[in-house]
Amino acid sequence: MTKDGGKQDKKAAQYGVTPQSADFNDWYNEVVKKADLADNSPVAGAMVVRPYGSALWENIVRWLDDRFKATGHESLVFPTLIPMGFIMKEADHVEGFAPELFTVNKIGTEELAEPYVMRPTSETIIGHMWSGWLNSYRDLPFLHYQWGSVFRAELRTKAFLRTSEFFWHEGHTAHADEPEARAEVRQMLDIYHEFCRDILALPVVRGEKTASERFAGAVATYSIEGMMRDGKALQSGTSHYLGQNFSRAFDVKFQTREQKEEFAHTTSWAISSRIIGAIIMTHGDDFGLIMPPRIAPIQVVVIPVGRKDNFDQMVEEGEKLAAELRAQGLRVKVDKRDGVTNGFKYNNWELKGVPVRIELGPRDLESGVVVVKNRNGEEKETLARAEAVSGMTARLDEIHDWLYGRATEYLLNHTLTVDTYEAFQEAIEGGNWVRAYHCGDAACEKSIKDDTKATTRNVPLDDAEFFHEAGEGVCVKCGRPSAYGKRVIFGRQY
Amino acid sequence: MTKDGGKQDKKAAQYGVTPQSADFNDWYNEVVKKADLADNSPVAGAMVVRPYGSALWENIVRWLDDRFKATGHESLVFPTLIPMGFIMKEADHVEGFAPELFTVNKIGTEELAEPYVMRPTSETIIGHMWSGWLNSYRDLPFLHYQWGSVFRAELRTKAFLRTSEFFWHEGHTAHADEPEARAEVRQMLDIYHEFCRDILALPVVRGEKTASERFAGAVATYSIEGMMRDGKALQSGTSHYLGQNFSRAFDVKFQTREQKEEFAHTTSWAISSRIIGAIIMTHGDDFGLIMPPRIAPIQVVVIPVGRKDNFDQMVEEGEKLAAELRAQGLRVKVDKRDGVTNGFKYNNWELKGVPVRIELGPRDLESGVVVVKNRNGEEKETLARAEAVSGMTARLDEIHDWLYGRATEYLLNHTLTVDTYEAFQEAIEGGNWVRAYHCGDAACEKSIKDDTKATTRNVPLDDAEFFHEAGEGVCVKCGRPSAYGKRVIFGRQY
């Protein structure tokens, strides 16, 4: 029984979602399905995204796309297929991706001598095209990105988190020199951070990946890492400095101002549909989802509460109220369903995580009030109708802040600073992240992973919000001097 | 030499685009490439869409997507892959698509016993999913659509028109009865028509396809057909009534209000990236593209005209002007390139079809004027700066009307009404469409195609803008009585 005297247990049982505390994995799968975010598909490893999930993804796409354009990036569309031989050209890249490839061996009636693969990522084919487009330093920078699906074989599927086909943007840029390329890598990481903090209410840690966790073919990989409510990490976005690795492999060179020939410095960066998993697992509770208000497909749901003889009238009044809210730019739904109880509707929209619910009944109408309930609060409030309307944006902002605050508290409470391997193991086993000094040796990292299933998440940047203090010590595992000049974050991950 | 005294020939030669009249096909391919719409790719049959083409497609997507949502449709995302067996379930469907399929036979290291195909269209997998989602008449209608790539093998590639991978939305809806499904089919055809007429300035003919030109598996197929400047037709959008064919094949059934079991009536509809081919080939001229103003990625280009010592100042003034235009919601570019001549810039933006160019030089600045040139006109105008700004939206509307008027005139002038097969053949050979009576027999249609390469485009609807008069006659080929109650449109097609 939970501390609210069983109210929560009862509601959860009524609606039929396994509580988080009972089984986080079951909770996740049930919420995804019952909230109509996604469904299983007949294609191994792939999901079907249903309208509510698709609307959420569209809002994510729109915000990011606007930001990319505002920072001078241009969208392109590259083919879904890539000649198999391209993947083989960059040594680390092929090693990283070969085991996950989807192979196309026949087009129409023609058996292919050289097969194609469905893109696992597009560095190779983009490098090939850039090679043809790039002549002079005057052509640079290339600031490109595309939205689309990518394909990487997954054996154990989990909607949004691990699917063989997933959706993302992949940014690809080419620059005349390293500092400019590195500034781009950092700019995009910061945009991802801003997006998570200000739009999704997700606290994330910006940092650099250790060598063994780098993208296949990168010189440096930066990530934002978020903590889910089971203490696991979810890498929520990455930004890579690729050096000249791909430009050498694909002959992406240009004439410099000094008339010399030089290979371009390239970057790539991405946020994928996994971020929806982060939203679910950071904000959800035993009742279901809690949608961060600024990205929520439906920000306010209006429930007309009537009997048979006045239901149509209440629906009409609900539509009037919705129109006033929409006039403020809000996304509002009126639940006009007939033949289901109000209780069912309340639970249904709580499960779907709509931030604010307004109930409107005949007596409320007479008194000029409405009943308002925040998804994150226990209490209903009765407010003057005009006040409810005019205060709605501020209310949504408050919910945003509450979500960000709660998730930050969780992150801080579940990140333990340890100096012994025993404490390390205990902390990981208890569903926490660990901050520890590490020697920087890949073999040592691997032995920690073998012992605990925890990997390095990242080394926080100096200006990261959390966990960035400088310091030196000895490796928590092997006792050698620490690398990185600060503690590294370890955790189990999705 | 053209009638403007060679001016056009000279300009075209200078910029290096083959004139339309010399070789329409070369003109098309050169314009696509030189205007930076698209490029060839290393993947057989696929193109790379470059930023200018991608921006155009994004504008198309945005308008249509808004319209779909406004008419109650919801987006979903279905997998790119479809089990091969699904395609085999609807007899006409497999016959239509089997020769064009991309086959995936290996995922990761696993050879697949049953291969997947990359979707040529998604009726089958959507039918499968609907079967699981549909229970009662209360669940209907399903009003779904998705944006994405589809894959159909093409031997002879032509950017936007014929590519193995192309981009589209596919709408899929399920209804409780035939009248509602047919109303949906008609609604979407009308939205496509509205889009072409009001946004793309493309006159199109709404009509029903003859049986032999139907979508594989449809009961009825409706299309909008546009005429290109070489007299060929381009099918620019389709809307299909699928009856219960796919719902029977995929068991999409529901309980009716009367507690009976019934198969749903389904529809599908699409506009693809081919529509960009229609824009190019309807509006373009010997100088290159002419972008319809309401969809143009860049509606106004500002060219600062300065010398070395005042170029930066003119760029700054150009930005001020652009800001004023943008404040009206217009899409404006300032061409700040240094090191290329003004003449090069003028030709470059003409090639790219930007509807309005503004030149701004130091003397103009002093006099408070700007020089304005419409892409479709020969003459430059010198206007008071404020007047140029405040009149810009109206100017763009005028260009829209001019384009629609010119294309309509071309369509009407190149559609000949004939009653003999000799006249029919002559008209087709001369690059026209033909309006003729036809018996409705598929074998007779085929013999006309064998003789002339012309196929039936459609039978115009009663309320189509053009060519809809009722009438009866004898078949232009075989002399049997006419079917359809009006003349059928024939033409060669892309």
Side-chain angles (χ1 to χ4, degrees):
Chain A
M1 192 177 295
T2 47
K3 60 187 170 192
D4 62 356
K7 193 168 165 194
Q8 192 160 316
D9 288 351
K10 204 174 143 203
K11 269 187 116 170
Q14 186 188 345
Y15 205 86
V17 185
T18 301
Q20 286 191 341
S21 51
D23 189 320
F24 196 78
N25 188 53
D26 284 353
W27 171 84
Y28 181 88
N29 290 332
E30 290 171 25
V31 162
V32 164
K33 203 146 177 178
K34 292 190 176 178
D36 292 328
L37 291 176
D39 201 354
N40 301 325
S41 90
V43 178
M47 63 181 164
V48 172
V49 184
R50 299 189 69 173
Y52 195 54
S54 179
L56 174 61
W57 180 241
E58 285 177 349
N59 288 348
I60 291 170
V61 169
R62 196 162 305 126
W63 191 94
L64 288 168
D65 195 80
D66 285 349
R67 205 79 178 77
F68 299 157
K69 286 190 165 64
T71 46
H73 298 86
E74 298 180 309
S75 75
L76 290 89
V77 191
F78 293 91
T80 300
L81 296 181
I82 296 179
M84 176 76 90
F86 279 31
I87 305 286
M88 304 300 165
K89 281 198 183 179
E90 208 287 334
D92 290 336
H93 199 66
V94 56
E95 198 187 315
F97 286 109
E100 303 178 358
L101 298 173
F102 284 57
T103 309
V104 175
N105 70 327
K106 194 174 165 189
I107 297 184
T109 53
E110 191 198 350
E111 301 276 349
L112 301 173
E114 205 208 337
Y116 290 102
V117 300
M118 296 174 79
R119 61 178 171 225
T121 180
S122 303
E123 279 78 3
T124 57
I125 196 164
I126 292 177
H128 174 88
M129 296 308 299
W130 279 351
S131 163
W133 296 338
L134 181 58
N135 294 301
S136 147
Y137 71 94
R138 289 173 188 273
D139 301 326
L140 292 173
F142 287 154
L143 302 175
H144 295 164
Y145 69 97
Q146 75 172 345
W147 290 98
S149 288
V150 280
F151 304 84
R152 299 177 189 175
E154 285 287 354
L155 293 178
R156 295 167 308 130
T157 306
K158 193 163 176 164
F160 298 112
L161 293 173
R162 248 190 341 264
T163 50
S164 290
E165 175 173 5
F166 60 90
F167 322 114
W168 74 351
H169 63 264
E170 44 183 324
H172 296 274
T173 70
H175 306 265
D177 59 41
E178 174 168 348
E180 189 185 298
R182 284 191 177 271
E184 167 77 10
V185 169
R186 184 56 203 269
Q187 170 183 252
M188 301 323 291
L189 188 75
D190 290 350
I191 286 176
Y192 291 166
H193 169 244
E194 177 196 346
F195 178 57
C196 287
R197 183 191 59 200
D198 297 347
I199 306 300
L200 308 184
L202 300 177
V204 291
V205 180
R206 277 174 296 172
E208 183 173 354
K209 288 286 192 183
T210 59
S212 49
E213 296 288 327
R214 265 181 213 139
F215 175 73
V219 172
T221 289
Y222 299 83
S223 72
I224 49 172
E225 304 277 338
M227 182 184 278
M228 307 302 102
R229 289 187 77 75
D230 60 354
K232 281 192 186 168
L234 196 145
Q235 177 182 297
S236 302
T238 49
S239 186
H240 314 288
Y241 172 56
L242 304 174
Q244 296 174 311
N245 292 345
F246 284 88
S247 61
R248 279 182 209 281
F250 289 93
D251 204 34
V252 183
K253 61 190 177 195
F254 64 97
Q255 205 167 48
T256 66
R257 199 182 288 266
E258 297 79 24
Q259 311 277 323
K260 284 187 204 155
E261 213 165 58
E262 178 72 88
F263 288 105
H265 293 256
T266 70
T267 86
S268 66
W269 28 274
I271 280 185
S272 79
S273 38
R274 296 193 95 197
I275 197 78
I276 292 179
I279 293 170
I280 298 168
M281 291 194 293
T282 303
H283 297 315
D285 64 15
D286 282 356
F287 303 153
L289 296 173
I290 303 183
M291 285 281 185
R294 293 173 191 157
I295 209 79
I298 302 170
Q299 297 172 303
V300 182
V301 63
V302 177
I303 319 259
V305 178
R307 293 182 315 274
K308 266 213 164 123
D309 62 337
N310 57 17
F311 185 71
D312 288 349
Q313 188 209 344
M314 294 320 301
V315 166
E316 203 176 301
E317 291 296 330
E319 283 291 1
K320 280 186 205 160
L321 181 64
E324 288 172 42
L325 291 163
R326 285 186 193 120
Q328 298 177 46
L330 298 173
R331 298 182 287 275
V332 185
K333 165 107 183 167
V334 180
D335 187 344
K336 305 175 198 174
R337 282 179 292 182
D338 204 350
V340 294
T341 66
N342 294 323
F344 175 88
K345 288 183 182 181
Y346 299 161
N347 286 345
N348 190 219
W349 293 113
E350 283 184 4
L351 177 75
K352 289 192 165 199
V354 174
V356 177
R357 176 175 91 217
I358 301 182
E359 303 163 20
L360 182 61
R363 263 172 298 180
D364 302 325
L365 188 67
E366 273 173 35
S367 325
V369 298
V370 292
V371 175
V372 179
K373 183 172 180 308
N374 292 0
R375 173 61 179 82
N376 61 319
E378 277 298 309
E379 299 307 322
K380 294 185 182 187
E381 296 169 65
T382 301
L383 294 178
R385 181 193 152 113
E387 189 188 336
V389 170
S390 67
M392 190 53 70
T393 300
R395 175 178 295 267
L396 292 169
D397 285 342
E398 278 164 29
I399 296 173
H400 173 94
D401 292 344
W402 185 92
L403 285 172
Y404 189 78
R406 184 181 67 143
T408 301
E409 199 179 315
Y410 193 92
L411 170 67
L412 296 175
N413 286 341
H414 289 80
T415 304
L416 308 184
T417 302
V418 305
D419 288 311
T420 70
Y421 198 52
E422 200 187 340
F424 185 107
Q425 288 173 294
E426 198 180 320
I428 292 292
E429 205 52 51
N432 301 286
W433 287 2
V434 163
R435 297 179 60 226
Y437 288 112
H438 190 259
C439 61
D441 179 56
C444 179
E445 251 183 71
K446 183 163 184 314
S447 75
I448 294 176
K449 185 178 177 184
D450 291 343
D451 290 345
T452 65
K453 294 183 196 146
T455 50
T456 56
R457 302 324 311 145
N458 65 28
V459 183
L461 294 173
D462 288 344
D463 55 354
E465 291 54 45
F466 312 106
F467 317 136
H468 56 264
E469 308 93 86
E472 299 290 344
V474 296
C475 177
V476 71
K477 177 72 196 279
C478 70
R480 282 178 286 180
S482 69
Y484 311 119
K486 61 182 75 150
R487 290 174 188 267
V488 180
I489 297 174
F490 289 82
R492 290 180 182 160
Q493 68 155 328
Y494 277 98
Chain B
M1 192 178 291
T2 47
K3 61 189 170 190
D4 62 355
K7 194 169 166 193
Q8 190 161 315
D9 288 351
K10 206 174 141 202
K11 270 186 116 169
Q14 184 186 346
Y15 206 86
V17 185
T18 301
Q20 286 191 340
S21 52
D23 188 321
F24 196 78
N25 188 52
D26 285 353
W27 171 85
Y28 181 87
N29 291 332
E30 291 171 24
V31 162
V32 164
K33 202 146 179 181
K34 292 190 175 176
D36 292 329
L37 291 177
D39 201 355
N40 301 326
S41 90
V43 177
M47 63 180 165
V48 173
V49 183
R50 299 189 68 173
Y52 195 55
S54 179
L56 175 60
W57 180 240
E58 286 177 349
N59 289 348
I60 291 170
V61 169
R62 196 162 306 127
W63 192 93
L64 288 169
D65 195 79
D66 286 348
R67 206 79 176 79
F68 299 156
K69 287 190 167 61
T71 45
H73 299 85
E74 299 180 309
S75 75
L76 289 89
V77 191
F78 293 90
T80 301
L81 295 182
I82 295 179
M84 177 75 90
F86 279 31
I87 305 286
M88 303 301 164
K89 281 198 182 177
E90 208 288 334
D92 290 337
H93 199 65
V94 56
E95 195 186 317
F97 285 110
E100 303 179 358
L101 298 172
F102 285 57
T103 309
V104 175
N105 70 326
K106 195 174 164 188
I107 296 184
T109 52
E110 190 200 350
E111 301 276 349
L112 302 173
E114 205 209 338
Y116 290 103
V117 300
M118 297 174 76
R119 61 177 171 227
T121 179
S122 302
E123 277 78 4
T124 58
I125 196 165
I126 292 177
H128 173 88
M129 296 307 300
W130 278 351
S131 163
W133 296 339
L134 181 57
N135 293 300
S136 147
Y137 72 94
R138 288 174 188 273
D139 301 326
L140 293 173
F142 287 155
L143 302 175
H144 295 164
Y145 69 98
Q146 75 172 342
W147 290 98
S149 288
V150 280
F151 304 85
R152 300 176 188 176
E154 285 286 355
L155 294 178
R156 296 166 308 130
T157 306
K158 193 162 178 165
F160 298 111
L161 292 175
R162 247 190 341 263
T163 51
S164 290
E165 176 174 4
F166 61 89
F167 323 115
W168 74 350
H169 62 263
E170 44 182 323
H172 296 273
T173 70
H175 306 264
D177 59 40
E178 174 168 348
E180 189 185 298
R182 284 192 177 270
E184 167 77 11
V185 168
R186 184 55 204 268
Q187 171 183 253
M188 301 322 292
L189 188 76
D190 289 351
I191 286 176
Y192 291 166
H193 168 245
E194 177 195 346
F195 178 57
C196 286
R197 183 191 61 198
D198 296 346
I199 306 300
L200 308 183
L202 299 177
V204 291
V205 180
R206 276 174 295 172
E208 182 173 357
K209 288 286 195 184
T210 59
S212 49
E213 296 288 326
R214 265 181 213 140
F215 175 73
V219 171
T221 287
Y222 299 83
S223 72
I224 50 172
E225 305 276 338
M227 182 183 278
M228 307 302 101
R229 290 188 76 75
D230 60 355
K232 280 192 186 169
L234 196 144
Q235 177 181 296
S236 302
T238 49
S239 187
H240 314 289
Y241 172 56
L242 304 174
Q244 297 174 311
N245 293 345
F246 285 88
S247 61
R248 278 183 209 280
F250 290 92
D251 204 34
V252 183
K253 60 191 176 194
F254 63 97
Q255 203 165 48
T256 65
R257 198 181 288 266
E258 296 78 23
Q259 310 279 323
K260 286 188 205 156
E261 211 165 58
E262 178 72 88
F263 289 105
H265 293 256
T266 71
T267 85
S268 67
W269 28 273
I271 280 184
S272 78
S273 40
R274 296 193 95 196
I275 197 79
I276 292 180
I279 293 171
I280 299 168
M281 291 194 294
T282 303
H283 297 315
D285 65 15
D286 282 356
F287 303 153
L289 296 172
I290 303 183
M291 285 282 185
R294 292 172 192 160
I295 209 78
I298 303 169
Q299 296 172 303
V300 181
V301 63
V302 176
I303 318 258
V305 178
R307 292 181 317 272
K308 266 215 163 120
D309 61 339
N310 58 16
F311 185 71
D312 288 349
Q313 188 209 344
M314 294 319 301
V315 165
E316 203 176 301
E317 293 294 332
E319 284 290 1
K320 281 186 206 161
L321 182 62
E324 289 172 42
L325 292 163
R326 285 186 193 121
Q328 297 178 45
L330 298 173
R331 298 182 288 274
V332 185
K333 165 108 185 166
V334 180
D335 187 343
K336 305 173 196 175
R337 281 177 293 182
D338 204 352
V340 296
T341 65
N342 294 324
F344 175 88
K345 289 182 181 182
Y346 300 160
N347 285 345
N348 189 219
W349 294 114
E350 283 184 3
L351 177 74
K352 290 191 165 201
V354 173
V356 176
R357 176 174 92 216
I358 301 181
E359 303 163 20
L360 182 61
R363 262 174 298 182
D364 302 324
L365 187 66
E366 272 174 35
S367 326
V369 298
V370 293
V371 175
V372 179
K373 182 174 180 306
N374 293 359
R375 172 62 180 82
N376 61 319
E378 278 296 309
E379 299 306 324
K380 294 185 182 187
E381 297 170 64
T382 300
L383 294 179
R385 180 193 152 114
E387 188 189 338
V389 170
S390 66
M392 190 53 70
T393 300
R395 176 178 295 267
L396 291 169
D397 285 342
E398 279 165 27
I399 296 172
H400 174 94
D401 292 345
W402 185 92
L403 285 172
Y404 189 78
R406 186 181 66 144
T408 301
E409 198 178 317
Y410 193 92
L411 170 67
L412 296 176
N413 286 342
H414 290 80
T415 303
L416 308 184
T417 301
V418 305
D419 287 310
T420 71
Y421 197 52
E422 200 186 340
F424 184 107
Q425 287 174 297
E426 198 180 319
I428 292 291
E429 205 53 53
N432 301 286
W433 287 2
V434 163
R435 297 178 61 227
Y437 288 114
H438 189 260
C439 60
D441 179 56
C444 178
E445 253 183 70
K446 183 162 186 314
S447 76
I448 292 176
K449 185 179 177 184
D450 291 342
D451 290 346
T452 64
K453 295 183 197 148
T455 50
T456 55
R457 302 323 313 144
N458 64 29
V459 183
L461 294 172
D462 288 344
D463 57 354
E465 290 55 45
F466 312 105
F467 316 138
H468 56 264
E469 307 94 86
E472 299 290 345
V474 296
C475 176
V476 71
K477 177 72 197 282
C478 70
R480 282 179 286 181
S482 68
Y484 311 118
K486 61 182 76 152
R487 289 173 189 268
V488 180
I489 297 175
F490 289 82
R492 290 179 182 161
Q493 69 156 325
Y494 276 97

